[in-house]
Amino acid sequence: MDHVLRTCRMLHRMEAGIPELRHPLVFAGQIPVIDGVIGGVSNSTEPIQPSVLSSAATTPGKLRFVQNSGVCETTPGVNQASGYGDLTATESIWFWFFESRTNPDSAPLALWFNGGPGSSSMIGLLQELGPCRITNDSRSVTLNPFSWNNEANLLFIDQPVGVGFSHGDLKVGTSQAAAADVWTFMQIFFADPRFAKYRTNNLAIWTESYGGHYGPTFAAHFLAQNAAIDRGTVSGVKLNLKVLGVGDGLTDPLIQYPGYIQYAASNPYHALVSSSVISRANSDWSSSNGCRAQISNCYATGTNSVCSSAQSFCNNRILSPLAGNWDVYYVPTQNPDPYPPAISSYLNSIASRIGAESTWTQSNNRVYNNFASTGDWMHNSRPDLETVIKAGVRTIVYDGDADYILNFNGVEAMVDALQTQFTDLYHSQQFASFNVRGQSAGMFKNAGTFSYVRFFGAGHEVPAYKWGTLGVGEAAAQMFTQIMRNQSLSST
């Protein structure tokens, strides 16, 4: 039956003049493709079944990990640890920790989260910013000279439960529920004698893609929990949050979705679709029960069914068709772009060495479906982002100009809509060239403790790309270093 439905959809698309999608072939995808639709909503009503490993000997409220496996980080004297934080007897969160290559005891601690929802943060580790980078043949790794652990201790976390190497009951279907689990994990992490010394170090959240929801929600939850601890209504360790970084993020869908139409028609590379497809998307955006109206209704009501329907409609009618046959994560190449190289076979080959207990998959569609059923995708995370900025947390929003899936048109519109103490200052600024070793690698604005930067030539996974004669990830590393040092962005 499924193949009949797919065939009918294909014929409908052909009759409507919409290019047939090949999105299921995307290699480096963080956002699942459901029934041929990027970020689609499944029609299945099957209940989600928990994914529990009966062989795992969990230790609720504690960590289990192996130290110095020798995998990935081979810099002499730089320690690492990988394993699980057991939230409960049936919920285990996977982490991989790397010490900073310089002064680890005093260096800040940076948390990294990939998006999806349902995608593993091992993507960021091996394809983007970690101590090692996957090779083009996907069989091994090489040391990354521009790893973000040059500056900070790095903690990669697979969340929610069920994502990547994490395993257990699949209970999470909203960003807020995910935030609560991450806070609990951090309490367990800092309670362990191996990691307790980092409690007072500066803490940062860095994230991308669906991280436009995760980052603001997690950060706002951390701040709220800190305040509750101060009031005596919550017990726990306060999290010393100082930085939030959001790359190519989905934050405010109502503001960002027109960016798909704008980017598909005109971007730094080439148009993605024909003018007739653009015209049809415009109609689907602005019609009486179109995408704009449905997202607005979601914002007004917040009900699962309304928000889930908005996600289904908007991604089927706007996000997916406007991509054409170009890779949604890097539009200069046709779909599918084989870069960044796949990491699944490598991760599963070293799983036992690093303490992993399950088979790694890049994205868990059952976790994704949990989020799709609540319509979390179409919720507005901008108020949380504003809360974090207003609280004095240094915040940066960044993106790559070759990314369609969360393009700079939408992201910059969201940034322009922010209402904070820095709004007037930000709007008064002109874009400046972000130079790295004298080369213009992007354009940026600073306003107080808020910054925004658009990187040239970068796709969805910004640190995976290079520009000019710079190294892979070199420009992103300069951004990270400056922000982590509590500096505004500047050229070098």
Side-chain angles (χ1 to χ4, degrees):
M1 185 63 182
D2 285 347
H3 75 278
V4 174
L5 290 173
R6 282 194 290 271
T7 302
C8 290
R9 289 192 188 95
M10 181 180 71
L11 292 172
H12 168 74
R13 298 181 69 83
M14 292 170 63
E15 290 166 0
I18 301 173
E20 172 56 16
L21 300 176
R22 290 178 283 162
H23 301 308
L25 297 178
V26 170
F27 290 154
Q30 290 187 57
I31 297 173
V33 177
I34 305 298
D35 295 333
V37 177
I38 308 166
V41 177
S42 174
N43 293 321
S44 172
T45 57
E46 294 181 9
I48 297 298
Q49 297 297 319
S51 173
V52 179
L53 287 184
S54 58
S55 61
T58 58
T59 55
K62 295 183 178 180
L63 298 184
R64 296 176 291 120
F65 55 89
V66 297
Q67 298 194 69
N68 296 329
S69 63
V71 177
C72 188
E73 176 59 279
T74 56
T75 304
V78 179
N79 296 307
Q80 61 169 298
S82 49
Y84 291 93
D86 296 325
L87 306 184
T88 68
T90 58
E91 296 169 285
S92 298
I93 293 280
W94 166 261
F95 74 93
W96 200 339
F97 169 84
F98 299 93
E99 279 186 350
S100 173
R101 290 170 176 168
T102 53
N103 303 317
D105 286 356
S106 59
L109 174 63
L111 315 182
W112 175 264
F113 303 96
N114 281 93
S119 288
S120 168
S121 296
M122 301 303 96
I123 296 169
L125 197 169
L126 294 177
Q127 293 182 337
E128 303 185 63
L129 57 106
C132 64
R133 180 171 279 124
I134 194 75
T135 53
N136 285 341
D137 63 6
S138 296
R139 294 179 180 176
S140 60
V141 294
T142 56
L143 205 66
N144 178 11
F146 299 109
S147 172
W148 289 7
N149 78 320
N150 287 339
E151 183 66 24
N153 298 293
L154 295 183
L155 180 57
F156 297 88
I157 301 172
D158 274 351
Q159 65 78 45
V161 170
V163 169
F165 281 129
S166 296
H167 57 77
D169 293 336
L170 307 185
K171 297 178 179 178
V172 173
T174 67
S175 297
Q176 188 60 47
D181 276 1
V182 170
W183 186 85
T184 299
F185 171 84
M186 292 308 301
Q187 297 299 305
I188 296 170
F189 183 81
F190 283 134
D192 189 278
R194 168 66 177 83
F195 303 107
K197 63 183 178 182
Y198 300 112
R199 289 179 185 175
T200 57
N201 294 24
N202 288 347
L203 182 69
I205 294 172
W206 288 81
T207 182
E208 77 183 14
S209 197
Y210 206 76
H213 275 18
Y214 287 156
T217 307
F218 293 6
H221 183 69
F222 286 9
L223 295 175
Q225 291 293 92
N226 287 351
I229 291 170
D230 284 340
R231 293 193 304 268
T233 56
V234 167
S235 61
V237 175
K238 291 174 65 174
L239 303 182
N240 191 25
L241 183 68
K242 298 296 184 184
V243 169
L244 171 63
V246 178
D248 298 75
L250 175 68
T251 301
D252 184 343
L254 185 62
I255 295 292
Q256 290 182 239
Y257 264 69
Y260 291 115
I261 301 171
Q262 188 178 353
Y263 191 93
S266 177
N267 60 66
Y269 303 95
H270 49 72
L272 305 186
V273 291
S274 67
S275 59
S276 62
V277 177
I278 297 288
S279 177
R280 191 173 300 109
N282 266 311
S283 296
D284 286 329
W285 167 254
S286 58
S287 62
S288 59
N289 193 36
C291 179
R292 178 174 58 194
Q294 292 194 34
I295 300 175
S296 297
N297 197 14
C298 169
Y299 282 19
T301 67
T303 63
N304 290 2
S305 61
V306 168
C307 297
S308 185
S309 293
Q311 177 183 345
S312 179
F313 181 92
C314 295
N315 291 354
N316 189 49
R317 301 292 188 93
I318 292 180
L319 192 160
S320 273
L322 287 176
N325 278 329
W326 303 99
D327 189 281
V328 297
Y329 301 102
Y330 184 71
V331 300
T333 62
Q334 286 196 320
N335 184 53
D337 182 8
Y339 182 86
I343 60 177
S344 180
S345 60
Y346 173 76
L347 275 171
N348 284 310
S349 73
I350 53 100
S352 61
R353 291 174 60 189
I354 60 176
E357 298 169 340
S358 57
T359 300
W360 187 86
T361 53
Q362 180 154 308
S363 295
N364 185 327
N365 279 11
R366 293 184 296 172
V367 171
Y368 171 84
N369 288 339
N370 274 358
F371 278 79
S373 69
T374 68
D376 188 78
W377 180 292
M378 283 304 181
H379 288 195
N380 183 9
S381 295
R382 180 161 61 92
D384 277 343
L385 181 58
E386 292 165 345
T387 294
V388 174
I389 296 168
K390 290 175 182 176
V393 174
R394 180 170 286 281
T395 303
I396 183 162
V397 173
Y398 65 96
D399 51 43
D401 74 0
D403 180 27
Y404 163 78
I405 196 75
L406 283 155
N407 55 76
F408 71 84
N409 296 107
V411 172
E412 289 178 9
M414 183 279 295
V415 169
D416 284 340
L418 288 170
Q419 297 297 313
T420 73
Q421 69 271 40
F422 305 125
T423 295
D424 292 342
L425 179 59
Y426 184 85
H427 289 160
S428 72
Q429 302 295 311
Q430 298 296 314
F431 276 111
S433 177
F434 186 60
N435 295 347
V436 180
R437 289 196 293 114
Q439 299 180 57
S440 178
M443 49 198 294
F444 75 98
K445 287 186 184 185
N446 294 312
T449 53
F450 178 81
S451 299
Y452 166 78
V453 58
R454 182 204 311 171
F455 288 95
F456 299 149
H460 188 64
E461 300 179 12
V462 167
Y465 295 89
K466 62 178 295 180
W467 180 251
T469 61
L470 300 174
V472 175
E474 185 174 0
Q478 176 172 301
M479 166 195 71
F480 179 80
T481 297
Q482 291 175 347
I483 296 299
M484 292 301 290
R485 293 180 181 179
N486 195 26
Q487 300 168 356
S488 295
L489 293 180
S490 61
S491 291
T492 60

